[in-house]
Amino acid sequence: MTQQTTLAPTLTLANGVAMPLLGLGTWPMNDQEAAHTVAEAIGLGYRLIDTAENYGNEKGVGEGIRRSGIPRDEIFLTTKFNRQWHSVAGAREACEASLKRLGVDYIDLLLIHWPNSDQDRYVDAFHGLVKLLEAGLVRAIGTSNFKPDHLQRLFDAGLVPHHNQIQLDPYHRRDDLLAIHKERGITTGAWRPLGCGNAMLADPVITSIAEAHGRTAAQIILRWIVQQGIVTTPKSANPVRLAQNLALFDFTLSDAEIAALDTLDRPDPTMLNADVFGH
């Protein structure tokens, strides 16, 4: 087992639960790869692990946590459930199934994976999350891929998620959602923080900042995210990149560098649309 090197700082959710700013994403690992990589990452100092029912690797994630030898209460575990469970009772079924696959007694953060507006049951699903929170089966509750209109439906029902996990990176800034999150006390999570392919990693604005700091382009992108107080969970199974992705907290981007990265936002017609996509 790799020796622990560092721990990411935490932010505090609206209900007082502390969540690490940087964690490990596990899609599209299978159970075997997840078990190995999760244990390796925890050994490096990762304390946030992100999975989902739809990833098909919760069993492996739970095994990796046990292999690490780190006490369960030192790990922050996030998972998400699919559209078939969008009801009050369904949320309970989904949670219990995830608990069984993970082999744990509680989940730190349970999210509705997609709003699935076509079936229009995500408000009921969130009421189910509230009951799970009250029952102590989860420590915090939230949403994933919810757009402003989806969040407003929750607000109108008197419901506010602790966390909303969205696609966010320098090419997808999501300022409309960030403003709503700030107003309502919702923390933000960024999935796919390094984009698809290598386009962002080769962007000259990013690579020039990376060269100035003696860092990788990926580290600059991840630092841009966490320096805004946004949680992110990049996926890697490579021990070198796992260590690099965690090594974000001993340097700071200048205001000018942040401003330069902020200019990279652009329209993306291929971006998954949560009004029509979901599982």
Side-chain angles (χ1 to χ4, degrees):
M1 181 60 59
T2 307
Q3 286 296 108
Q4 177 180 315
T5 57
T6 187
L7 297 178
T10 61
L11 51 70
T12 303
L13 306 183
N15 66 340
V17 170
M19 181 178 187
L21 267 173
L22 192 285
L24 175 70
T26 61
W27 185 85
M29 299 178 189
N30 60 29
D31 278 327
Q32 183 178 2
E33 185 179 18
H36 174 80
T37 304
V38 166
E40 177 77 15
I42 293 173
L44 286 167
Y46 284 78
R47 292 295 180 268
L48 164 61
I49 309 297
D50 181 277
T51 184
E53 172 190 1
N54 209 63
Y55 299 173
N57 62 17
E58 286 177 312
K59 184 177 179 181
V61 167
E63 175 62 26
I65 291 172
R66 288 184 290 277
R67 284 186 197 176
S68 75
I70 297 297
R72 168 68 184 94
D73 62 5
E74 295 183 21
I75 305 297
F76 191 102
L77 182 55
T78 299
T79 194
K80 319 169 194 77
F81 62 85
N82 288 348
R83 62 184 288 140
Q84 72 197 82
W85 311 112
H86 280 208
S87 65
V88 174
R92 177 74 181 234
E93 288 184 69
C95 179
E96 290 179 347
S98 284
L99 289 170
K100 184 176 180 179
R101 288 188 294 265
L102 290 160
V104 297
D105 296 326
Y106 65 92
I107 293 163
D108 294 281
L109 176 62
L110 183 59
L111 307 177
I112 301 171
H113 204 157
W114 289 87
N116 294 293
S117 302
D118 62 312
Q119 64 180 19
D120 194 24
R121 298 206 307 264
Y122 59 81
V123 175
D124 290 340
F126 202 90
H127 279 296
L129 284 179
V130 172
K131 290 186 176 294
L132 292 169
L133 186 67
E134 293 169 347
L137 293 176
V138 300
R139 298 178 64 228
I141 55 178
T143 52
S144 181
N145 302 298
F146 274 46
K147 296 166 71 173
D149 288 350
H150 306 135
L151 290 174
Q152 189 60 52
R153 286 282 306 281
L154 294 181
F155 301 154
D156 291 346
L159 304 168
V160 181
H162 297 129
H163 189 78
N164 188 28
Q165 187 184 86
I166 57 176
Q167 184 179 358
L168 183 148
D169 57 60
Y171 285 3
H172 307 86
R173 278 183 44 183
R174 315 301 299 276
D175 290 346
D176 55 344
L177 276 166
L178 292 179
I180 293 168
H181 293 176
K182 182 177 181 181
E183 178 185 357
R184 293 284 184 161
I186 302 167
T187 58
T188 305
W191 63 261
R192 197 181 285 168
L194 303 177
C196 290
N198 295 316
M200 272 201 304
L201 297 178
D203 189 291
V205 172
I206 296 171
T207 57
S208 65
I209 295 172
E211 185 176 352
H213 285 272
R215 301 283 176 153
T216 67
Q219 286 174 311
I220 297 304
I221 295 167
L222 296 174
R223 179 65 203 181
W224 175 83
I225 294 171
V226 300
Q227 195 164 313
Q228 298 179 70
I230 296 170
V231 176
T232 193
T233 50
K235 178 265 179 185
S236 181
N238 181 301
V240 173
R241 287 197 292 272
L242 281 170
Q244 289 175 341
N245 289 348
L246 190 58
L248 307 177
F249 304 104
D250 59 350
F251 76 102
T252 303
L253 299 174
S254 69
D255 290 345
E257 290 167 336
I258 290 287
L261 293 167
D262 284 347
T263 67
L264 299 180
D265 188 38
R266 63 199 60 194
D268 180 5
T270 68
M271 183 177 176
L272 292 176
N273 182 354
D275 285 321
V276 296
F277 179 87
H279 43 61

